[in-house]
Amino acid sequence: MEKITTQPAAEPITLAELRLQLGVMDDSATERDPVFSANIKAARIWAEWFTRRALITQTWGYYADAFPTLRRGQLLTDFIDLRLDLQSVASINYVNDAGVLTTLDPANYQVDLISSRVLPAYGLSWPTTRAVPNAVQISYVSGYANAAAVPEDIKKALKIIAGQWENFQSALESGITVRTIAYAAIQLLAPYKDYRNLF
């Protein structure tokens, strides 16, 4: 299981970019800006759920009841996939056999920034843990470093999604549930989807 612990300090697209997408050219017409900003955040969260990746720098926690075990001749592996695009691992903590929450020495594991995963250092294995919920806890940072680093395809998808929600606002206010995401946005996001652990 993973959960976000620190939200991004900024969004991948700006309020000005969404206003341009919507054709709102009057700089004095700001009454709907709070709605636009909320839609930008919601679009980013939806896109992160769809792609299974972090779109801009944020801190996540990974939780598991035990470390994975490498078994030769089987498909099980000893690495742990983290959310794309991994920037750094702050800490790996685990509950040891004695029931003490222990910080794993960084020399005992490798951080693979290319594949966004962690694995034991060469020749080592993960330590054993006590059989308790969330015995393994990893804190890490993922996402594109800033808005300028986010691919334009992703930004375009976010503008389409947030813009669509604004265009459907009157329907939402009248009680109609809007369930669809524009297919164009899905097509733009599809190449960035993380398919690891889905099969």
Side-chain angles (χ1 to χ4, degrees):
M1 177 203 162
E2 290 182 293
K3 63 185 285 190
I4 192 168
T5 57
T6 303
Q7 292 283 344
E11 296 295 338
I13 61 172
T14 65
L15 178 60
E17 288 173 320
L18 180 57
R19 287 169 61 89
L20 182 61
Q21 171 79 14
L22 292 168
V24 180
M25 310 306 292
D26 184 355
D27 291 339
S28 65
T30 60
E31 62 276 2
R32 292 202 59 79
D33 282 359
V35 176
F36 295 165
S37 295
N39 285 349
I40 289 171
K41 181 178 180 180
R44 190 254 307 160
I45 291 172
W46 185 89
E48 288 176 336
W49 167 83
F50 177 78
T51 60
R52 300 178 69 244
R53 70 191 306 149
L55 295 188
I56 202 159
T57 299
Q58 52 197 258
T59 304
W60 281 79
Y62 168 94
Y63 304 90
D65 295 343
F67 286 108
T69 302
L70 178 62
R71 299 182 184 175
R72 303 201 179 278
Q74 299 183 33
L75 294 177
L76 299 180
T77 60
D78 62 348
F79 59 79
I80 299 170
D81 288 324
L82 301 176
R83 194 164 286 245
L84 301 172
D85 288 80
L86 182 62
Q87 294 183 22
S88 63
V89 172
S91 63
I92 298 180
N93 296 318
Y94 66 99
V95 180
N96 65 18
D97 287 332
V100 178
L101 185 63
T102 305
T103 299
L104 186 61
D105 186 336
N108 292 338
Y109 61 87
Q110 306 172 65
V111 178
D112 179 357
L113 297 181
I114 295 175
S115 299
S116 294
R117 60 184 181 170
V118 291
L119 59 160
Y122 179 77
L124 299 181
S125 300
W126 293 118
T128 57
T129 59
R130 177 170 280 201
V132 295
N134 304 314
V136 176
Q137 304 169 18
I138 303 175
S139 177
Y140 68 96
V141 177
S142 273
Y144 295 102
N146 50 49
V150 178
E152 289 300 320
D153 287 348
I154 292 178
K155 291 182 182 181
K156 180 62 177 176
L158 297 181
K159 286 184 272 191
I160 291 171
I161 295 167
Q164 179 187 32
W165 288 339
E166 172 60 19
N167 292 330
F168 285 155
Q169 186 64 34
S170 60
L172 293 169
E173 291 172 354
S174 66
I176 298 173
T177 301
V178 178
R179 300 182 185 274
T180 60
I181 296 292
Y183 187 56
I186 293 174
Q187 286 179 307
L188 287 167
L189 292 172
Y192 300 94
K193 192 167 185 176
D194 181 7
Y195 287 95
R196 298 174 304 171
N197 301 320
L198 288 182
F199 303 103

